[in-house]
Amino acid sequence: MKDVELDTTKLPQHVAIIMDGNGTWAKKRGLPRNFGHRQGAQALRNIVLFSNEIGIKYLTVFAFSTENWSRPKEEVDYLMRLPMEFLRSNEKEIYKGNIKFLCIGERDCLPLDLQKTIMKYENETVNNQRMTFIVALNYGGKDDIIQAVNRLLQEGISKIDNQKFEEYLYTKNIPDVDLLIRTSGQQRISNFLLWKLSYSELYFTNVLWPEFNKKQYIKALCEYSERDRRYGGIK
Ligand code: FPP
């Protein structure tokens, strides 16, 4: 792949990633699927650090969807352990990098030790300001909207506007996604951040997530910088 020059004045403020292709990566090598997820966590580390370095303000990744519970128990257990290991082994970089950590999704049914780890890192990084790193765990775009509606009903609120509604989403205080990247060749949203994706630029690549590196990321960011965003208007 040819090297491309990144124009840091035209970066998206919020990048979201569907990290697809871990299983395929492992299968191609005759390895168990969990090896693919482990390698995926390594790729994620590099993308988080590079995003922070170049000045991306929000990075959201889809780590476990509300539909992923249907996977074999061994894989689900591993996907529940990985975020804890990730946070612990990258703790220094997160603190030093002034990165705020947030988790979105229905966390009550996550294992208790994972819930505690999430809370610890959310609390300890609450004042960090350079970049916000958001992990979607047991997250579904439809569930997010439904839980918001239910909370509005519980509070007896009968009339809302866009701004008010956003306050009830898991993604409260997080701006709309500018660029959505999905790896591994599938071209769909898969119930990710439905509300926040309304005007996002979409970027699909055949590269499997464990092989998605800085160079691939720069290519996506460069393509984004050349997109003509009109938000329903005309030029
Ligand atoms: C989809 O690929 C990937 C997932 C459901 C899990 C993503 C998790 C990671 C990248 C691990 C790191 C995350 C954190 C937060 C540390 P797939 O395995 O379904 O791919 P396939 O379509 O090739 O089977």
Side-chain angles (χ1 to χ4, degrees), residues 19-24 33 37 40-41 44 62-63 68 71 75 79 82-83 86 135 184 209:
M19 309 178 288
D20 201 3
N22 296 340
T24 307
R33 290 179 57 83
H37 295 312
L44 178 59
F62 210 1
N68 286 152
R71 295 187 177 209
E75 184 170 347
L79 286 171
L82 255 186
F86 182 88
V135 175
S184 187
W209 175 252

Side-chain angles (χ1 to χ4, degrees), residues 154-218:
Q154 273 162 20
E155 290 180 23
I157 298 169
S158 55
K159 195 166 190 307
I160 51 155
D161 55 17
N162 280 349
Q163 208 183 340
K164 183 80 186 161
F165 186 65
E166 296 205 357
E167 288 172 22
Y168 286 78
L169 291 168
Y170 290 129
T171 50
K172 178 184 173 185
N173 295 332
I174 298 168
D176 281 353
V177 173
D178 297 300
L179 171 65
L180 172 77
I181 298 173
R182 181 173 189 149
T183 56
S184 187
Q186 303 301 323
Q187 302 196 355
R188 51 178 174 258
I189 304 298
S190 296
N191 198 18
F192 199 19
L193 304 155
L194 300 179
W195 182 274
K196 291 278 163 198
L197 288 173
S198 55
Y199 269 102
S200 308
E201 295 299 321
L202 309 179
Y203 180 87
F204 300 107
T205 170
N206 289 330
V207 174
L208 304 173
W209 175 252
E211 287 168 351
F212 191 82
N213 57 23
K214 198 166 131 177
K215 215 165 169 179
Q216 315 285 346
Y217 191 30
I218 291 175

Side-chain angles (χ1 to χ4, degrees), residues 7-224:
D7 180 353
T8 49
T9 63
K10 289 182 180 164
L11 286 177
Q13 184 187 23
H14 185 178
V15 177
I17 308 181
I18 300 178
M19 309 178 288
D20 201 3
N22 296 340
T24 307
W25 182 90
K27 196 174 167 200
K28 268 171 68 180
R29 287 161 179 77
L31 297 167
R33 290 179 57 83
N34 285 348
F35 277 66
H37 295 312
R38 194 177 66 189
Q39 198 62 30
Q42 198 52 44
L44 178 59
R45 173 195 151 88
N46 296 334
I47 295 303
V48 171
L49 297 184
F50 184 62
S51 298
N52 195 36
E53 187 187 318
I54 60 177
I56 299 290
K57 298 310 289 178
Y58 296 84
L59 175 68
T60 305
V61 296
F62 210 1
F64 194 90
S65 76
T66 44
E67 290 76 30
N68 286 152
W69 295 106
S70 63
R71 295 187 177 209
K73 184 175 180 314
E74 195 194 341
E75 184 170 347
V76 169
D77 289 348
Y78 192 68
L79 286 171
M80 291 293 138
R81 270 212 321 275
L82 255 186
M84 286 190 287
E85 284 177 20
F86 182 88
L87 288 165
R88 285 183 194 133
S89 60
N90 294 300
E91 184 180 284
K92 238 193 262 148
E93 288 83 352
I94 292 171
Y95 294 158
K96 227 176 71 197
N98 197 8
I99 297 172
K100 183 195 279 194
F101 170 74
L102 282 181
C103 181
I104 55 169
E106 168 55 272
R107 62 176 78 171
D108 287 353
C109 26
L110 297 176
L112 256 185
D113 50 352
L114 176 54
Q115 289 187 41
K116 281 187 192 155
T117 308
I118 290 168
M119 264 184 345
K120 168 182 149 68
Y121 286 95
E122 282 184 337
N123 290 335
E124 288 179 2
T125 63
V126 70
N127 294 318
N128 289 357
Q129 285 175 350
R130 185 165 163 86
M131 182 178 84
T132 304
F133 170 49
I134 304 137
V135 175
L137 268 175
N138 192 23
Y139 179 87
K142 285 188 176 179
D143 275 16
D144 195 356
I145 293 168
I146 295 296
Q147 67 77 32
V149 172
N150 278 329
R151 284 201 295 132
L152 283 158
L153 292 172
Q154 273 162 20
E155 290 180 23
I157 298 169
S158 55
K159 195 166 190 307
I160 51 155
D161 55 17
N162 280 349
Q163 208 183 340
K164 183 80 186 161
F165 186 65
E166 296 205 357
E167 288 172 22
Y168 286 78
L169 291 168
Y170 290 129
T171 50
K172 178 184 173 185
N173 295 332
I174 298 168
D176 281 353
V177 173
D178 297 300
L179 171 65
L180 172 77
I181 298 173
R182 181 173 189 149
T183 56
S184 187
Q186 303 301 323
Q187 302 196 355
R188 51 178 174 258
I189 304 298
S190 296
N191 198 18
F192 199 19
L193 304 155
L194 300 179
W195 182 274
K196 291 278 163 198
L197 288 173
S198 55
Y199 269 102
S200 308
E201 295 299 321
L202 309 179
Y203 180 87
F204 300 107
T205 170
N206 289 330
V207 174
L208 304 173
W209 175 252
E211 287 168 351
F212 191 82
N213 57 23
K214 198 166 131 177
K215 215 165 169 179
Q216 315 285 346
Y217 191 30
I218 291 175
K219 190 168 171 244
L221 294 170
C222 285
E223 188 173 316
Y224 168 83

